[in-house]
Amino acid sequence: MALIEGIFEPGLVVTTVDWVLNWSRKRSIFPMTFGIACCAIEMIATGAARFDIDRFGSGAFRATPRQADLMIVAGTVTFKMAERLRRLWEQMAEPRYVIAMGACAISGGPYHVHGYHVVKGVDQVVPVDVYVPGCPPRPEALLEGIMRLQDKISTHTIAKR
Ligand code: SF4
């Protein structure tokens, strides 16, 4: 992608290429198998038959960051974990995306005041694309977050800015 990105002026051909690339990208967001606290139970439920994340092309949870393009930070991020989380994010293929799922990942949640060991927002460690609030958010909320991420991917362009 880096080969053709930022070379062409916006135009009909570029717009069509953008549409095809973005369509294929947003319909095949592969999340990493990665859950760090109670919110992960809701993330797992999202992949089960009742909620069926496969409808969005995101059912293929990958066991390695190299094959994943979405990190769903589902749970409490401790300072001890933050370094590992960052390393996993760096190993992911680009373009890569992050969803902060739940109050803990967004702001420290119930640990915000007294949790000396908890990072007060995973956006201090990795860039976050979509925030899904709740303690824990229900699977429907995570699906909504994935749809908002799809909207964001739709706006990508290879054209010169
Ligand atoms: S937001 Fe609530 S449910 Fe999610 S990890 Fe934190 S305490 Fe657990």
Side-chain angles (χ1 to χ4, degrees), residues 74-156:
T76 319
V77 183
T78 59
F79 285 105
K80 205 170 182 180
M81 191 64 191
E83 191 187 324
R84 279 83 175 168
L85 188 145
R86 175 79 193 189
R87 192 179 310 158
L88 285 168
W89 177 81
E90 283 170 354
Q91 289 174 348
M92 287 168 66
E94 289 200 50
R96 54 196 168 200
Y97 309 99
V98 176
I99 291 181
M101 180 180 181
C104 282
I106 293 172
S107 65
Y111 308 99
H112 185 77
V113 178
H114 300 297
Y116 63 90
H117 60 302
V118 173
V119 178
K120 308 300 184 295
V122 73
D123 50 6
Q124 295 176 20
V125 184
V126 292
V128 173
D129 297 282
V130 176
Y131 296 85
V132 179
C135 180
R138 283 189 49 81
E140 293 95 332
L142 180 57
L143 292 177
E144 177 74 22
I146 288 173
M147 286 190 277
R148 296 293 72 78
L149 182 59
Q150 288 180 331
D151 290 345
K152 188 170 183 177
I153 293 172
S154 301
T155 64
H156 285 191

Side-chain angles (χ1 to χ4, degrees), residues 64-76:
T64 164
R66 296 178 209 287
Q67 295 171 357
D69 41 25
L70 172 62
M71 174 186 270
I72 303 173
V73 184
T76 319

Side-chain angles (χ1 to χ4, degrees), residues 19-42:
W19 188 88
V20 172
L21 285 175
N22 293 342
W23 181 85
S24 53
R25 256 184 203 156
K26 72 182 188 183
R27 301 291 177 193
S28 59
I29 306 171
F30 288 3
M32 187 163 60
T33 307
F34 180 67
I36 41 184
C38 16
C39 274
I41 303 297
E42 299 295 321

